[in-house]
Amino acid sequence: MTEIEELAARIRRFTEARDWTRFHTPKNLAMALAGETGELIAELQWLTPEESTRTMTDPDAAARLRSEIADVMIYLTRLADVLGIDLVQASHAKLDESEKRYDVTAYRGSARKAPPLS
Amino acid sequence: MTEIEELAARIRRFTEARDWTRFHTPKNLAMALAGETGELIAELQWLTPEESTRTMTDPDAAARLRSEIADVMIYLTRLADVLGIDLVQASHAKLDESEKRYDVTAYRGSARKAPPLS
Amino acid sequence: MTEIEELAARIRRFTEARDWTRFHTPKNLAMALAGETGELIAELQWLTPEESTRTMTDPDAAARLRSEIADVMIYLTRLADVLGIDLVQASHAKLDESEKRYDVTAYRGSARKAPPLS
Amino acid sequence: MTEIEELAARIRRFTEARDWTRFHTPKNLAMALAGETGELIAELQWLTPEESTRTMTDPDAAARLRSEIADVMIYLTRLADVLGIDLVQASHAKLDESEKRYDVTAYRGSARKAPPLS
């Protein structure tokens, strides 16, 4: 069992123990994911990009970021589990595409319109 | 090396090969994550919750969902890597808290105000 | 002065009185908008679509929705003001396009892939 | 009739003419709003804050931003209309609160934890 499978299994047990499975439709989970992403982005909204790179040196900000990132990961893992999608495999498949699409020479140093990772 | 560490390492190499590291501040990556979450949610917005549970039976919708979920996972992995946060460990720490906070007996079957996972 | 211009002017005075203008770059305001949209979506995430249509009959839920929608509107108005975009005019221009793009006969009753408003 | 009421009425006619009213539950519209906010944020994600303040000087970027902001405004107006919320009135009510909460002297120049507008 991979670490993601273990995490997904723990979330599944957590959900079933509280009889919350019926709330966890893909639609609802995608909304929860968006809500948590909103909380994460709010932590960084007033920082300059430079300040955002130093944010983990502040213990309080670091704890909040860790907590918000965990929330996003938990809902993403749960959503993927409910849909039967392997998160890591799907990511590698997407990176296969991105490595072809964003040729190293042509895109080197430029982030203009192209979203760098996918 | 765990599967997440491998994924993070591949994304790091991808980014460095294109000289895009300077674009990958936590602030920018949180924005990219929010943008990708928006694309994911758009896939499910007009479906009923019931339709959303059947969406993977449509090969085209399944491919789009897999692709959008991968995009979210890729930026989340990259953001965590840049911040030095262990995604899986942070998720388990959050679930430790949630298991205490949402007592099984008190919360069974209710999703009223409480966000079920965190 | 239209009601939106008045609202934008009030937000501008509010911001200048606190010397917060330098924080209000389009980038930061777009992040704040996304954060507030996340709080709004969180209010509706565990409701069925039918429950969501009745949510204003609960005074507490109604107050929270009104407050979250106001937050989104305030940041949207501020972002448009900072960019020099007329919100209402831009919306009508987009609807002109949508009315052509989504022919009444062809799209009647179908929301499949097409985002209904734009 | 205010300009927002006119805009809401036009969107209502647009929706009814295509028989899309049943898709426009508050839940679905909040998701559509989040999706459009994601597209807006994606326009600004790789720019520095300084570049983001100059983005309207590029005609292509300006047109894209105008279009994305219009999409957000259209769904926000529609959501408020469906919920029976007056967007401008709700915003002023929120600003009344914010003006009290963020005392001019105490908060001058600081955006630390406090979200500047609400």
Side-chain angles (χ1 to χ4, degrees):
Chain A
M1 220 186 196
T2 68
E3 55 179 351
I4 301 278
E5 285 167 346
E6 270 177 35
L7 180 62
R10 181 177 180 186
I11 300 169
R12 209 180 307 129
R13 288 192 305 271
F14 178 95
T15 305
E16 289 170 358
R18 285 155 189 79
D19 198 19
W20 286 344
T21 308
R22 67 196 152 109
F23 296 113
H24 285 196
T25 62
K27 187 178 180 88
N28 289 5
L29 290 166
M31 293 178 83
L33 180 68
E36 297 297 346
T37 303
E39 291 190 36
L40 174 58
I41 212 168
E43 287 295 327
L44 301 163
Q45 67 197 10
W46 306 121
L47 305 181
T48 64
E50 295 71 33
E51 287 168 344
S52 82
T53 64
R54 292 191 302 267
T55 187
M56 296 299 283
T57 61
D58 171 357
D60 287 349
R64 287 198 308 273
L65 275 176
R66 192 183 310 273
S67 171
E68 297 303 348
I69 277 185
D71 286 340
V72 175
M73 180 61 179
I74 288 169
Y75 279 113
L76 183 62
T77 301
R78 178 66 179 151
L79 176 60
D81 188 37
V82 162
L83 290 172
I85 290 172
D86 184 313
L87 270 183
V88 172
Q89 198 183 298
S91 298
H92 280 297
K94 197 67 191 268
L95 286 167
D96 289 344
E97 284 176 40
S98 295
E99 286 173 355
K100 280 177 206 152
R101 189 173 164 197
Y102 300 105
D103 178 79
V104 170
T105 315
Y107 281 88
R108 196 167 169 82
S110 162
R112 278 158 310 166
K113 285 186 171 182
L117 293 178
S118 53
Chain B
M1 222 186 193
T2 68
E3 57 180 348
I4 300 279
E5 285 168 345
E6 270 177 35
L7 180 61
R10 181 175 180 188
I11 300 169
R12 207 180 310 130
R13 288 193 304 271
F14 179 95
T15 306
E16 289 170 358
R18 283 154 190 81
D19 199 17
W20 285 345
T21 308
R22 67 197 153 108
F23 295 115
H24 284 197
T25 62
K27 187 178 181 87
N28 290 5
L29 289 167
M31 293 178 81
L33 180 67
E36 296 298 346
T37 303
E39 290 190 38
L40 174 56
I41 212 167
E43 287 296 326
L44 300 164
Q45 66 196 10
W46 307 121
L47 304 183
T48 64
E50 296 70 33
E51 287 168 345
S52 82
T53 65
R54 292 191 300 267
T55 186
M56 296 298 284
T57 61
D58 171 357
D60 286 349
R64 287 198 308 273
L65 275 175
R66 193 182 309 273
S67 171
E68 297 302 347
I69 278 184
D71 286 341
V72 175
M73 181 61 180
I74 288 168
Y75 280 112
L76 183 62
T77 301
R78 179 65 179 152
L79 176 59
D81 188 38
V82 162
L83 290 171
I85 291 173
D86 184 311
L87 269 184
V88 172
Q89 196 182 299
S91 298
H92 280 296
K94 198 67 191 271
L95 286 168
D96 290 344
E97 284 176 39
S98 295
E99 286 172 355
K100 282 176 204 153
R101 189 173 163 196
Y102 300 106
D103 178 79
V104 169
T105 314
Y107 281 87
R108 196 167 169 83
S110 163
R112 278 158 309 164
K113 284 185 169 183
L117 294 178
S118 54
Chain C
M1 219 185 197
T2 68
E3 55 178 352
I4 300 279
E5 285 168 346
E6 271 176 33
L7 180 62
R10 182 177 179 186
I11 300 169
R12 207 180 309 130
R13 288 192 305 272
F14 178 95
T15 305
E16 290 170 356
R18 283 154 190 81
D19 198 18
W20 285 345
T21 308
R22 66 197 153 106
F23 296 113
H24 284 196
T25 61
K27 186 177 181 88
N28 289 5
L29 290 167
M31 293 179 82
L33 180 68
E36 297 298 345
T37 302
E39 291 191 35
L40 174 58
I41 211 167
E43 288 295 326
L44 301 164
Q45 67 196 10
W46 306 121
L47 305 182
T48 64
E50 295 70 33
E51 287 169 343
S52 82
T53 64
R54 293 191 299 268
T55 187
M56 296 300 283
T57 61
D58 170 357
D60 286 349
R64 286 198 308 274
L65 275 176
R66 193 183 309 274
S67 171
E68 297 304 347
I69 278 184
D71 286 341
V72 176
M73 180 61 180
I74 288 169
Y75 280 112
L76 183 62
T77 302
R78 179 65 179 151
L79 176 59
D81 188 37
V82 161
L83 291 172
I85 290 173
D86 184 312
L87 270 183
V88 172
Q89 197 183 299
S91 298
H92 279 298
K94 198 67 192 267
L95 287 167
D96 290 345
E97 284 176 39
S98 295
E99 286 172 356
K100 281 176 205 151
R101 189 173 164 197
Y102 300 106
D103 178 78
V104 170
T105 314
Y107 280 87
R108 196 167 171 83
S110 162
R112 277 157 310 165
K113 285 186 171 182
L117 292 178
S118 53
Chain D
M1 221 186 194
T2 68
E3 56 178 350
I4 301 279
E5 286 168 345
E6 270 176 35
L7 179 61
R10 181 176 180 187
I11 300 169
R12 207 180 310 131
R13 288 192 305 270
F14 178 94
T15 305
E16 289 169 358
R18 284 155 190 79
D19 198 18
W20 285 344
T21 308
R22 67 197 153 109
F23 296 114
H24 284 195
T25 62
K27 187 178 180 87
N28 289 5
L29 289 167
M31 292 179 81
L33 179 68
E36 296 298 345
T37 303
E39 291 190 36
L40 173 57
I41 211 168
E43 287 296 327
L44 300 164
Q45 66 196 11
W46 306 121
L47 304 182
T48 64
E50 296 70 33
E51 286 169 345
S52 82
T53 65
R54 293 191 299 267
T55 186
M56 296 299 284
T57 61
D58 171 356
D60 287 348
R64 287 198 308 273
L65 275 176
R66 193 183 310 274
S67 171
E68 297 303 348
I69 277 184
D71 286 340
V72 175
M73 180 62 179
I74 288 169
Y75 279 113
L76 182 62
T77 302
R78 179 64 179 152
L79 176 60
D81 188 38
V82 161
L83 291 171
I85 290 172
D86 184 311
L87 269 183
V88 172
Q89 196 183 298
S91 298
H92 280 296
K94 197 68 190 270
L95 287 167
D96 290 345
E97 284 176 41
S98 295
E99 286 173 356
K100 282 176 204 152
R101 189 174 163 196
Y102 300 105
D103 178 78
V104 169
T105 315
Y107 280 87
R108 197 167 169 84
S110 164
R112 281 158 307 164
K113 284 186 170 182
L117 293 177
S118 54

